Amino acid sequence: MNAPPMNAPALRDQFGRSIEYLRISVTDRCNFRCIYCMPQEGLPWLPKADILSYEEIAELVRQLAPLGLRRLRITGGEPTIRPQLTTLVSLLRAIPGIEDIALSTNGARLPEMGAALKAAGIDRVNISADSLRPERVLKIARRDLGFDTRTVAAAAEAAGLGPVKLNVVVMRGINDDEVEDFARLTLDHPWHVRFIELMPVGELRSLTWDHVVPSEEVLERASRVAPLADVAAGTGPRGNGPARYLRYAGAPGTIGVITPMTHTYCGSCNRVRLTADGRLRTCLYGDHEVDLRGPLRAGEPLEPHFRRALAEKPREHDLLQMQVGGLRALSQVGG
Ligand code: SAM
Ligand code: SF4
């Protein structure tokens, strides 16, 4: 771990929330086509020239770290399909003040890449896993890449990329009958299964509000396996997320819920996002974006642009007021 820079002034937005966590999208492309994220034919991809190079991303983080940025997550699209991802990880790892680098991935390439990613400096991974049944994975991810959730999670753990978190988007009538099976994984493995409420982003062509399963219902189903108790604050798995964590007595893993639809955590939001083409988004759900690629390529200092973006960070989002499909897919904004 690198020492934090001395006297770094905390970056705060207009509501006093300190911003120390940046999610970096390295590509908008993906080798999956999850039904809640992308249409089968893909999306209009960004031109390659618009995408920040690894050196440009590292330069941006170098300028933000002295302002208090401490934690990073590399995401996409699917980050592992961008060539030589380890080059970026090594560049980021060398930046003073950066304490933690996580990766969000669909996991298909983790068995082959996990050890190299760990060696380059990734601390831990979140893996998207919406079914434990291969035939159902095919229906949800719409690609056959030899994906098996247990194998991928075990490979990540063996590579030292724990605590492994499994992100499950729960969809009524599609995979909600697997809540108990996913929850049972935590009885045998030190894995953290996080159930995510489906959000009305992207095109969601075949999905509707009826597919959203509220987290209370998910927890009620998980508690049919055995009684669940809240994990005391500060003793849950390391991370930056807004999840509430629970545990079965004696279980090595935990169960979490991420509830963008039924509860907001805007009051404690500590994150901003960098899109693959270099725009800073201060809220996942709005249109607030500030271009950093222009100033970066012009050799200008980024701090004024970053402070301007933070000054405009909205107090909270209101997803329930939005139309299904009214927002861009998470793959396009660095979900
Ligand atoms: N490809 C990587 C992955 O799947 O983990 C990283 C990018 S993906 C956009 C990040 C996360 O967003 C995944 O956990 C995915 O399940 C979630 N996600 C995408 N679209 C979503 C939606 N409509 N509702 C809820 N979660 C969604
Ligand atoms: Fe790809 Fe992740 Fe979107 Fe699935 S959720 S299509 S894996 S970017």
Side-chain angles (χ1 to χ4, degrees):
M1 189 186 297
N2 300 303
M6 298 296 288
N7 304 323
L11 273 171
R12 291 192 182 277
D13 71 3
Q14 55 177 330
F15 304 106
R17 295 170 293 194
S18 78
I19 305 297
E20 49 192 40
Y21 174 40
L22 177 67
R23 296 173 73 103
I24 301 170
S25 172
V26 295
T27 180
D28 57 334
R29 297 171 192 237
C30 190
N31 47 356
F32 281 16
R33 294 287 184 272
C34 300
I35 50 175
Y36 48 76
C37 184
M38 278 191 200
Q40 180 74 274
E41 65 277 14
L43 290 163
W45 310 126
L46 290 167
K48 291 231 161 89
D50 287 359
I51 291 184
L52 294 188
S53 68
Y54 289 157
E55 187 43 59
E56 286 171 334
I57 295 172
E59 176 54 25
L60 190 145
V61 173
R62 272 182 219 117
Q63 293 198 35
L64 296 184
L67 303 175
L69 184 67
R70 296 190 356 234
R71 296 195 290 272
L72 305 175
R73 173 172 299 280
I74 298 175
T75 179
E78 175 49 40
T80 61
I81 65 168
R82 182 154 169 189
Q84 273 91 47
L85 185 63
T86 50
T87 303
L88 173 68
V89 178
S90 306
L91 287 171
L92 297 176
R93 189 80 269 177
I95 297 173
I98 297 303
E99 296 172 4
D100 184 55
I101 308 180
L103 176 75
S104 283
T105 174
N106 60 33
R109 294 200 169 169
L110 268 189
E112 64 189 88
M113 291 177 67
L117 286 166
K118 176 72 187 177
I122 292 287
D123 291 305
R124 58 209 168 76
V125 288
N126 286 13
I127 302 167
S128 290
D130 300 321
S131 176
L132 295 168
R133 305 179 195 172
E135 72 289 354
R136 195 176 268 181
V137 172
L138 250 181
K139 284 199 181 130
I140 298 174
R142 297 186 293 192
R143 287 288 186 277
D144 183 6
L145 296 170
F147 187 86
D148 173 76
T149 299
R150 291 184 188 83
T151 312
V152 168
E157 195 184 335
L161 292 169
V164 171
K165 293 181 185 167
L166 296 174
N167 287 346
V168 186
V169 177
V170 185
M171 293 163 278
R172 194 179 303 286
I174 295 179
N175 65 349
D176 58 333
D177 56 346
E178 291 190 62
V179 166
E180 287 156 79
D181 290 342
F182 269 109
R184 270 189 211 98
L185 289 178
T186 68
L187 290 167
D188 300 324
H189 305 277
W191 299 342
H192 305 285
V193 174
R194 298 155 16 124
F195 296 106
I196 305 178
E197 286 173 349
L198 177 69
M199 291 184 275
V201 296
E203 296 191 36
L204 292 186
R205 289 185 181 176
S206 55
L207 300 176
T208 67
W209 289 101
D210 294 340
H211 290 94
V212 176
V213 183
S215 62
E216 282 74 15
E217 189 179 329
V218 167
L219 289 179
E220 188 279 313
R221 289 189 195 199
S223 62
R224 290 178 198 164
V225 174
L228 276 168
D230 268 294
V231 173
T235 59
R238 199 157 48 106
N240 310 299
R244 171 183 168 203
Y245 288 103
L246 303 101
R247 195 193 289 276
Y248 298 121
T254 63
I255 288 167
V257 283
I258 299 182
T259 57
M261 299 308 295
T262 54
H263 306 88
T264 74
Y265 343 82
C266 303
S268 59
C269 178
N270 64 348
R271 59 189 57 198
V272 288
R273 293 177 157 78
L274 180 68
T275 64
D277 56 347
R279 283 169 293 122
L280 194 73
R281 286 181 74 91
T282 53
C283 177
L284 178 56
Y285 308 104
D287 286 329
H288 288 279
E289 286 182 353
V290 167
D291 174 49
L292 296 180
R293 187 185 65 206
L296 190 61
R297 291 189 176 169
E300 292 170 19
L302 297 177
E303 181 178 344
H305 300 278
F306 201 67
R307 291 203 183 276
R308 178 162 60 86
L310 282 192
E312 291 166 7
K313 183 169 164 68
R315 183 188 291 273
E316 60 188 4
H317 69 73
D318 193 354
L319 269 183
L320 295 173
Q321 296 299 315
M322 292 177 185
Q323 302 288 320
V324 170
L327 288 166
R328 287 198 290 162
L330 262 62
S331 65
Q332 294 173 305
V333 296

